[in-house]
Amino acid sequence: QTVVTQEPSFSVSPGGTVTLTCGLSSGSVSTSYYPSWYQQTPGQAPRTLIHSTNVRSSGVPDRFSGSILGNKAALTITGAQADDESDYYCVLYMGSGLKVFGGGTKLTVL
Amino acid sequence: QEQLVQSGSELKNPGASVKVSCKASGYTLTYYGMNWVRQAPGQGLEWMGWINTYTGDPTYAQAFTGRFVFSLDTSVSTAYLEISSLKAEDTAIYYCARSGATSGGNWFGPWGQGTLVTVSS
């Protein structure tokens, strides 16, 4: 069974830039996996940030961007702010209507 | 605006059943698929599957076959998740999330606010 991998945790300084990645236990992520990214703060429902690799969802600041870097999908936050401290999840489309979440990355801004 | 509103928290005994609702507003339910996502306490998000709201056909992730059923009542623009033979490990927040409006719907948005299901005697 294919596992979607994410860094368990990451830290960034306020104003800094951080890139979170989303990979596969076997194989490379491409745009055909339609990678999407979600932000979740404690006690809240997830919020859609990026879909279809690099399309920002409505209302998402342009300091959030998505891309393919090497063999992984990536979420880059430029100019990190304190309220970016959240859990970030990626989702990959595996075909036949099936989607899989990554394990999530806990981002600390300090 | 497009919105999903879920039913309230539930406390159930082991072995019982629960039915969680997800009411869509601001768009036509049958235009986009509906997904269900589980989040156990302190854990990550887990995709349970989705239902084609036009045909009513459900697709379940491998871990969610057997006791989990997705259904619809299009007359009230509502999707449902029913879980039978509840176990303590079913304790979680359950989210509905619409399939995205573009790119074949292979993403989620908007999301319901979540429904906490607690299984305990």
Side-chain angles (χ1 to χ4, degrees), chain A residues 35-37 47-67 75-76 78, chain B residues 102 107:
Chain A
S36 54
W37 293 89
R47 170 197 182 196
T48 306
L49 294 177
I50 300 285
H51 68 85
S52 309
T53 305
N54 57 12
V55 180
R56 267 186 300 276
S57 194
S58 177
V60 174
D62 60 7
R63 54 200 182 77
F64 291 91
S65 62
S67 63
L75 173 70
T76 299
T78 305
Chain B
T102 59
W107 54 283

Side-chain angles (χ1 to χ4, degrees), chain A residues 9-14 18 20 80-82 84-88 105-110:
Chain A
S9 62
F10 229 116
S11 64
V12 62
S13 300
V18 63
L20 311 181
Q81 300 180 0
D84 295 336
E85 187 161 293
S86 303
D87 295 325
Y88 292 85
T105 297
K106 183 177 183 63
L107 179 66
T108 302
V109 180
L110 51 72

Side-chain angles (χ1 to χ4, degrees), chain A residues 1 34 36 38 40 44-46 48 51-52 89 91 93 96-99 101-103, chain B residues 35 37 39 43-47 50 59 62 95 102-103 105-109 111-112:
Chain A
Q1 184 177 350
Y34 296 93
S36 54
Y38 305 87
Q40 187 182 36
Q44 299 296 314
T48 306
H51 68 85
S52 309
Y89 295 91
V91 170
Y93 174 65
S96 302
L98 302 178
K99 295 114 178 170
F101 277 93
Chain B
N35 299 266
V37 175
Q39 187 168 38
Q43 302 301 308
L45 302 171
E46 193 174 12
W47 183 72
W50 74 293
T59 298
Q62 191 171 7
Y95 294 100
T102 59
S103 301
N106 297 319
W107 54 283
F108 310 132
W111 292 72

Side-chain angles (χ1 to χ4, degrees), chain B residues 89-104:
Chain B
E89 51 264 42
D90 294 323
T91 295
I93 298 173
Y94 292 86
Y95 294 100
C96 59
R98 198 192 74 180
S99 292
T102 59
S103 301

Side-chain angles (χ1 to χ4, degrees), chain B residues 21-45:
Chain B
S21 67
C22 171
K23 183 172 177 59
S25 62
Y27 76 97
T28 301
L29 179 72
T30 55
Y31 281 11
Y32 307 102
M34 189 68 75
N35 299 266
W36 290 94
V37 175
R38 182 173 80 175
Q39 187 168 38
Q43 302 301 308
L45 302 171

Side-chain angles (χ1 to χ4, degrees), chain B residues 3-6 21-31 34 36 53 71-80 96:
Chain B
Q3 192 176 6
L4 301 175
V5 177
Q6 298 185 226
S21 67
C22 171
K23 183 172 177 59
S25 62
Y27 76 97
T28 301
L29 179 72
T30 55
Y31 281 11
M34 189 68 75
W36 290 94
T53 55
S71 62
L72 304 167
D73 185 342
T74 57
S75 68
V76 290
S77 297
T78 301
Y80 299 94
C96 59

